[in-house]
Amino acid sequence: MSSTRVLVLNSGSSSLKYQLLDMADSARLAVGLVERIGEETSRLKHTPLTGDGAERERTGPIADHEAALKAVAAELAADGLGLDSPELAAIGHRVVHGGLKFTEPTVIDDAVLAEIERLVPVAPLHNPANITGIRTARALRPDLPQVAVFDTAFHTTMPEAAARYAIDVATADQHRVRRYGFHGTSHAYVSRTTAELLGKAPEDVNVIVLHLGNGASASAVRGGRCVDTSMGLTPLEGLVMGTRSGDLDPAVIFHLARVGGLSIDEIDTLLNKKSGLIGLCGDNDMREIRRRVDEGDEQARLAFDIYIHRLKKYIGAYYAVLGRVDAIAFTAGVGENAAPVRAAAVAGLEELGLAVDGELNAVRGDEPRLISPGYARVKVAVVPTDEELEIASQTYALVGRHEERLRRMGN
Ligand SMILES: Nc1ncnc2c1ncn2[C@@H]1O[C@H](COP(=O)(O)OP(=O)(O)O)[C@@H](O)[C@H]1O
Ligand SMILES: CC(=O)OP(=O)(O)O
Ligand SMILES: [Mg+2]
């Protein structure tokens, strides 16, 4: 391919993260983030990594994801990296829900877009933003291949015993109710990188991956294939998250509706946006929660303890699912940065062969590293995730194959 650049868009419910990469050498040319989309106080942070590389920041209302992407395009253009560049080979989109249909990265056409739209009810915070990103990018560069890389794809290898809920089969099948799992691009990248860190082939390694960002999920990966994961039909199930409850008795919902008088939409908002850490203590940022814990704040302490208790339960559960565990890998904003979370999650699990070395755990860095003591039977690792690089690589590989096919068809 003559053009070697890929723009990666990761649209969240109120944010847009992006990276422009040159796949000839996997170099980042620009990275950035638009936060608080839809509010008065939106903020765009853009860092060109060519030339002087100085970060630029712009604040002020950015109404929606379309406006956000247009603002990003303007920033890129100001650095001579505009979307009109002939060097751009493709745009790679993170798409959160791909259902069961999409097990691989996919070139987006109208039918693919319609399927992503059909899945909006099961990823209401994420898929709408992904769709706006795709539509806007298509309008800006209709000639370019747009590729969807699905959060759900890595989890499609889960056995039925892990993927099915114990509800009436006909009802479940009619409404396609099952565990899909999310953050798959990260779970795939991190499990593979953990195997590399251990000096082994992915096929030979069993790993528990703990992706702890604002959204959080755990997965059990056996020999490079996902065998279970904590998120379910939607990204609401499982671990305690920044604003999401994770697991609860489904009857809580009936109770809140019947006795509490809340509507289904109110309960949806409650569990997705006003629960988890923010619901428990008013903050969803682990840095702030740790600061409060260190000052003796009881509410923050309880929120932290609930977060850790849930995490520990999943470590135990996935240990049992895998039977043999070679490593546990912490990743994403909390997993990569919050040493107290890592220490507390593993505390007391020495009988399972798990331990964290205090000094190694305190080291900060961008490289994958082990934080378990030499004697530990199960290695504990911190593995910075790189969803954007993974999306760019998959996008670039697919576009290469796509072009090759078109060339062959033309001949
Ligand atoms: N230095 C840090 N210490 C503790 N937690 C941190 C630190 N930096 C980031 N975080 C946590 O990481 C979260 C964001 O993680 P990230 O993976 O970027 O989430 P998302 O992709 O879901 O937006 C923040 O909300 C915060 O809780
Ligand atoms: C699927 C999901 O929860 O994604 P995020 O962590 O980006 O919100
Ligand atoms: Mg994330």
Side-chain angles (χ1 to χ4, degrees):
M1 274 184 280
S2 50
S3 21
T4 54
R5 292 181 183 171
V6 175
L7 176 65
V8 176
L9 301 177
N10 177 351
S11 306
S13 56
S14 64
S15 69
L16 169 65
K17 294 182 185 171
Y18 62 94
Q19 290 192 6
L20 179 68
L21 295 104
D22 192 331
M23 299 317 290
D25 53 1
S26 296
R28 279 168 235 273
L29 304 175
V31 302
L33 163 72
V34 189
E35 289 175 295
R36 298 196 287 273
I37 296 172
E39 294 177 36
E40 289 301 306
T41 56
S42 313
R43 182 170 63 170
L44 191 161
K45 262 202 263 185
H46 175 84
T47 311
L49 300 171
T50 52
D52 67 358
E55 179 180 294
R56 301 200 290 273
E57 199 173 303
R58 221 179 58 131
T59 48
I62 296 181
D64 52 29
H65 282 80
E66 183 179 343
L69 182 48
K70 287 185 173 159
V72 169
E75 293 296 334
L76 288 167
D79 297 321
L81 300 169
L83 262 68
D84 55 354
S85 161
E87 286 172 90
L88 199 57
I91 301 181
H93 300 263
R94 174 189 180 208
V95 177
V96 164
H97 215 313
L100 282 184
K101 213 170 190 163
F102 300 115
T103 58
E104 299 285 342
T106 304
V107 176
I108 302 168
D109 58 18
D110 289 342
V112 171
L113 194 55
E115 182 62 14
I116 298 169
E117 261 185 316
R118 197 187 61 75
L119 292 162
V120 163
V122 280
L125 298 186
H126 296 92
N127 272 30
N130 303 156
I131 291 165
T132 309
I134 293 167
R135 288 230 163 88
T136 309
R138 261 182 154 187
L140 291 170
R141 277 301 297 270
D143 56 315
L144 270 192
Q146 312 276 334
V147 173
V149 177
F150 297 93
D151 259 40
T152 39
F154 181 61
H155 303 300
T156 53
T157 55
M158 267 188 295
E160 284 293 282
R164 278 210 178 256
Y165 294 113
I167 63 173
D168 174 67
V169 171
T171 308
D173 287 351
Q174 185 187 350
H175 300 289
R176 299 183 227 213
V177 172
R178 60 186 281 119
R179 177 181 310 289
Y180 293 94
F182 302 89
H183 296 135
T185 305
S186 176
H187 288 285
Y189 175 85
V190 169
S191 56
R192 209 173 61 229
T193 306
T194 304
E196 262 169 44
L197 185 65
L198 300 185
K200 294 191 174 164
E203 300 77 54
D204 298 332
V205 175
N206 293 352
V207 189
I208 298 174
V209 178
L210 304 170
H211 176 108
L212 312 176
N214 219 340
S217 66
S219 70
V221 183
R222 175 181 288 134
R225 289 164 70 86
C226 175
V227 293
D228 204 353
T229 194
S230 61
M231 283 179 165
L233 173 72
T234 79
L236 181 55
E237 193 181 348
L239 300 174
V240 175
M241 309 182 211
T243 67
R244 296 173 231 162
S245 63
D247 295 335
L248 43 76
D249 179 349
V252 168
I253 296 162
F254 317 144
H255 181 77
L256 290 175
R258 292 187 189 126
V259 180
L262 275 73
S263 70
I264 290 294
D265 285 342
E266 283 168 339
I267 300 171
D268 193 331
T269 303
L270 175 81
L271 297 182
N272 271 301
K273 298 194 170 166
K274 298 180 184 168
S275 297
L277 293 169
I278 208 161
L280 289 167
C281 74
D283 273 308
N284 65 334
D285 192 310
M286 192 51 82
R287 282 165 286 204
E288 187 57 18
I289 292 170
R290 282 308 310 177
R291 197 188 56 72
R292 286 172 56 188
V293 170
D294 291 342
E295 283 176 355
D297 183 320
E298 284 302 319
Q299 206 189 5
R301 173 89 243 170
L302 181 59
F304 183 79
D305 289 349
I306 294 169
Y307 185 94
I308 297 297
H309 182 78
R310 185 81 53 84
L311 198 50
K312 206 172 252 191
K313 284 200 336 195
Y314 272 94
I315 293 174
Y318 289 171
Y319 205 119
V321 165
L322 290 169
R324 187 201 84 219
V325 180
D326 297 294
I328 295 194
F330 285 91
T331 194
V334 176
E336 290 166 29
N337 296 298
V341 168
R342 298 190 297 254
V346 169
L349 303 183
E350 293 81 5
E351 288 289 325
L352 295 180
L354 275 160
V356 158
D357 176 288
E359 273 179 31
L360 293 176
N361 192 27
V363 175
R364 302 186 63 83
D366 297 331
E367 294 300 314
R369 58 199 183 273
L370 292 179
I371 58 168
S372 44
Y375 64 79
R377 193 156 42 78
V378 178
K379 305 299 174 206
V380 182
V382 179
V383 178
T385 194
D386 202 335
E387 288 164 290
E388 284 76 16
L389 176 63
E390 183 74 12
I391 291 169
S393 309
Q394 294 189 16
T395 298
Y396 191 61
L398 177 62
V399 168
R401 291 197 297 275
H402 187 63
E403 280 187 356
E404 180 64 22
R405 236 186 343 261
L406 292 180
R407 241 194 320 274
R408 277 210 220 104
M409 276 158 58
N411 282 341

